[in-house]
Amino acid sequence: MNQVVVEETSFEEVLSEIEENSKYKRLPPKEKTWMTVPEMGILLGLKKTGRYWLVQKNYFECREIAGQMRVNIASFEKWYANQVKYHKVNGEEPGKNLKKWSYSISEVAKMLGISGTTVYDLIKRDGIKTVTVDYWIRIPKKSFQEWYEKQSKYRTQKDREKDKELEGTTITMPEMARLLGITRGQIYEILKNSKYSHFFETVVIAEKKRITKESFQKFLEGQDHYKLDPANDYEELSMEQNFSLANYRRKKLAKTGDRSKNGNLSYLTFDEAAFLAKVSRGMIYKWMDDGKFSAVKIGNISRVKRDEFEAWLEERKGN
């Protein structure tokens, strides 16, 4: 005799099947497309007057439904993404679309490391195009980029870092003049002279023309008329970028006429150490007594070990 096996069905499964086949089954809730003005006000943290002031400005679609003024949510969100004056209490950032294509004055100031007042001056002076949104002036990113590429004085932090690296491989016109022992005017004449101009490679940093060290060296090797200034023996020092110290030594040499009063590539006088650290000579002695760095006796003269002192000075600046 064959037995009929009846599968057990859970109550939940039966109920689910009934609901699925029923004409009264639940429909998924529709997405909310309208909200009341009070709901909008609560969302923005506005009181009654502020809520209806916004409604009257027609920033977003409003409609009377069932005798009550309502705000279209999609229209409201579009407005919210294109303004920065009002903020939702839930912390959602406003102006997302606005920020995609424009900068605020404070954003430009921060990028360039300048004040907001200077940004306004640049807008007026250079004719940078702006737009006004909710009484706030903003600069379209395209307009900013066009202006930025036409000048080199104002730089972003990223470009300032690049410029700093580039400065290490170049020299200014005054530095070149000091190295050759001639005037700045003569430098410009050299650069204009077709006999020498082909040697030089120039770059512009912060609206100042600079000569690459490599091309300057080619100039020195490729002609016999101009040589490094024989009045001093600090050419190597100058070429290693410490122009301020080289210039300090030149001035002292011109004043005293005695080379022994200056240091050299390995040692510094106490005056030179004070000059580099921007402190008094007495402070240099104090630091030395505290063991910050050491000095050596060269004949009857004491000198500070330059590499040791500069390393300590860099460490001190870092702290």
Side-chain angles (χ1 to χ4, degrees):
M1 182 176 178
N2 295 330
Q3 291 183 340
V4 178
V5 179
V6 180
E7 293 184 3
E8 292 186 5
T9 304
S10 68
F11 174 76
E12 288 78 9
E13 290 175 335
V14 173
L15 182 61
S16 176
E17 186 176 348
I18 293 173
E19 288 181 345
E20 183 65 29
N21 297 325
S22 173
K23 63 179 180 179
Y24 302 108
K25 67 179 180 180
R26 295 178 183 176
L27 296 175
K30 291 183 178 180
E31 184 178 352
K32 188 176 180 181
T33 57
W34 297 86
M35 62 179 168
T36 65
V37 174
E39 286 174 333
M40 181 269 291
I42 292 171
L43 188 60
L44 295 177
L46 298 175
K47 294 183 179 180
K48 186 175 181 179
T49 302
R51 300 169 188 174
Y52 284 95
W53 185 88
L54 266 184
V55 169
Q56 291 173 4
K57 296 298 287 186
N58 294 320
Y59 289 140
F60 34 78
E61 182 184 355
C62 296
R63 186 183 302 174
E64 188 174 329
I65 300 175
Q68 189 176 24
M69 186 64 70
R70 294 181 181 271
V71 176
N72 181 272
I73 294 176
S75 174
F76 171 83
E77 292 296 343
K78 183 178 179 180
W79 163 80
Y80 188 76
N82 285 283
Q83 61 82 46
V84 291
K85 183 177 180 180
Y86 296 92
H87 295 254
K88 291 182 180 179
V89 294
N90 63 8
E92 182 183 339
E93 186 180 3
K96 289 182 179 179
N97 288 345
L98 187 65
K99 293 175 182 178
K100 288 179 181 178
W101 62 270
S102 66
Y103 295 121
S104 67
I105 298 298
S106 59
E107 286 172 335
V108 172
K110 185 176 181 181
M111 275 195 296
L112 300 179
I114 57 179
S115 68
T117 302
T118 303
V119 176
Y120 283 112
D121 290 340
L122 290 174
I123 290 172
K124 185 177 180 181
R125 188 194 73 186
D126 297 345
I128 302 174
K129 295 178 182 177
T130 63
V131 294
T132 302
V133 180
D134 287 338
Y135 307 104
W136 294 88
I137 292 177
R138 296 186 67 85
I139 301 175
K141 291 183 178 181
K142 183 180 179 181
S143 174
F144 173 80
Q145 195 61 34
E146 289 174 352
W147 166 82
Y148 186 77
E149 291 174 356
K150 291 179 182 177
Q151 57 82 47
S152 63
K153 181 176 181 180
Y154 300 97
R155 312 290 282 166
T156 63
Q157 179 61 35
K158 184 178 180 180
D159 284 342
R160 283 198 295 272
E161 291 174 0
K162 290 181 180 178
D163 289 348
K164 192 172 182 180
E165 293 177 5
L166 194 56
E167 285 174 358
T169 64
T170 60
I171 57 176
T172 64
M173 303 303 167
E175 289 167 348
M176 182 175 168
R178 287 196 295 270
L179 287 170
L180 297 176
I182 58 179
T183 66
R184 193 185 307 184
Q186 288 175 294
I187 292 297
Y188 288 111
E189 290 299 321
I190 291 173
L191 295 176
K192 291 178 183 178
N193 192 327
S194 59
K195 184 178 179 181
Y196 306 118
S197 59
H198 65 279
F199 287 114
F200 298 105
E201 180 183 351
T202 62
V203 295
V204 177
I205 302 175
E207 296 189 343
K208 292 183 179 179
K209 187 179 288 187
R210 300 175 69 94
I211 303 292
T212 65
K213 289 183 177 180
E214 184 179 0
S215 68
F216 178 65
Q217 190 62 38
K218 288 180 180 178
F219 163 73
L220 291 175
E221 296 170 355
Q223 51 78 44
D224 296 322
H225 186 72
Y226 295 98
K227 298 295 181 183
L228 291 172
D229 184 4
N232 67 73
D233 53 358
Y234 315 120
E235 290 80 14
E236 185 179 347
L237 182 67
S238 297
M239 293 304 289
E240 67 178 26
Q241 303 173 32
N242 201 333
F243 292 101
S244 60
L245 179 58
N247 202 36
Y248 175 85
R249 286 175 169 173
R250 286 192 190 92
K251 289 179 179 179
K252 191 162 186 178
L253 178 60
K255 185 178 180 179
T256 65
D258 185 357
R259 293 180 185 276
S260 66
K261 298 293 184 182
N262 289 338
N264 53 40
L265 294 180
S266 301
Y267 298 98
L268 301 169
T269 66
F270 284 87
D271 285 337
E272 290 168 352
F275 169 76
L276 290 176
K278 295 181 174 58
V279 297
S280 66
R281 181 186 174 102
M283 182 59 73
I284 296 297
Y285 281 112
K286 183 180 183 303
W287 283 339
M288 186 183 69
D289 291 340
D290 291 342
K292 305 296 185 183
F293 47 83
S294 58
V296 296
K297 201 84 168 176
I298 302 176
N300 296 323
I301 303 173
S302 293
R303 290 284 187 265
V304 176
K305 288 185 177 179
R306 182 181 170 193
D307 55 353
E308 183 181 332
F309 177 78
E310 289 183 340
W312 173 80
L313 197 60
E314 282 299 315
E315 183 180 348
R316 179 173 177 267
K317 288 178 181 178
N319 296 331

